[in-house]
Amino acid sequence: MRALGEEAAARVYRAQNRRLRAPRRSRLTGRAALLALVVCSLVVALAYPMREWVSQRAEINDQRRQAAEARERVRELRDEKARWRDPAYVEQQARRHLHYLRPGETGYIMEGGSTDAPRDRDRGASNRAWYENLWDGLDAADQRRP
């Protein structure tokens, strides 16, 4: 009996040592790892189609906006076409832009401008020599420097 008791004690001792020395199992089981793998593969598989879908929706909205702008432009052009069918409008435009006159009228052209809007007598940058623009730019830069 004594041998059986020692043998049982040795088995118990070995079982306790195995329990103490055995590494703890991680919480990540095989099922959890498989689930994580499936979720990651779904995210990777759906990322590109979702990005394409979003970009296509943006492109569709842009095309709709352009179509609405084109419809508005067509509406404006139709209105202008209808105005050009009116002889009074054609005469007004010919007088304004082409300086046409009716028989018996006397036309005057004013040098340096027209009577539509008063203009500044200062010469603009496009009417001056390039070196004048250069010197004016340098002078303005010197004045701004502290």
Side-chain angles (χ1 to χ4, degrees):
M1 277 281 264
R2 192 170 201 213
L4 282 176
E6 286 177 10
E7 194 176 309
R11 267 191 258 143
V12 168
Y13 178 74
R14 273 187 259 136
Q16 285 177 348
N17 280 344
R18 264 192 246 139
R19 225 181 294 147
L20 292 176
R21 276 190 269 148
R24 283 188 114 172
R25 282 181 74 178
S26 67
R27 293 182 165 218
L28 185 67
T29 62
R31 286 183 183 173
L34 182 63
L35 179 64
L37 181 67
V38 168
V39 168
C40 288
S41 62
L42 283 175
V43 166
V44 168
L46 294 177
Y48 181 74
M50 285 302 293
R51 187 181 63 159
E52 287 297 312
W53 182 79
V54 168
S55 68
Q56 287 174 0
R57 297 308 297 173
E59 189 174 332
I60 287 170
N61 289 336
D62 187 44
Q63 292 292 326
R64 285 181 180 160
R65 181 190 52 78
Q66 288 178 0
E69 289 174 358
R71 280 192 295 274
E72 180 62 31
R73 179 72 177 134
V74 166
R75 200 174 300 124
E76 291 171 0
L77 290 173
R78 282 185 183 149
D79 291 345
E80 187 175 347
K81 182 180 175 183
R83 277 184 274 160
W84 278 103
R85 288 186 182 144
D86 182 20
Y89 181 76
V90 172
E91 181 182 346
Q92 176 191 17
Q93 295 302 314
R95 285 174 171 267
R96 178 179 292 153
H97 296 290
L98 302 175
H99 305 290
Y100 278 19
L101 300 172
R102 289 184 168 244
E105 292 181 344
T106 305
Y108 297 97
I109 296 178
M110 295 176 53
E111 270 192 48
S114 67
T115 59
D116 291 342
R119 292 186 180 177
D120 291 337
R121 295 288 174 208
D122 183 28
R123 294 169 48 190
S126 63
N127 295 330
R128 296 187 303 187
W130 65 270
Y131 50 85
E132 289 179 4
N133 293 331
L134 177 67
W135 286 119
D136 287 345
L138 291 174
D139 288 339
D142 284 340
Q143 290 174 0
R144 280 185 254 152
R145 191 170 7 149

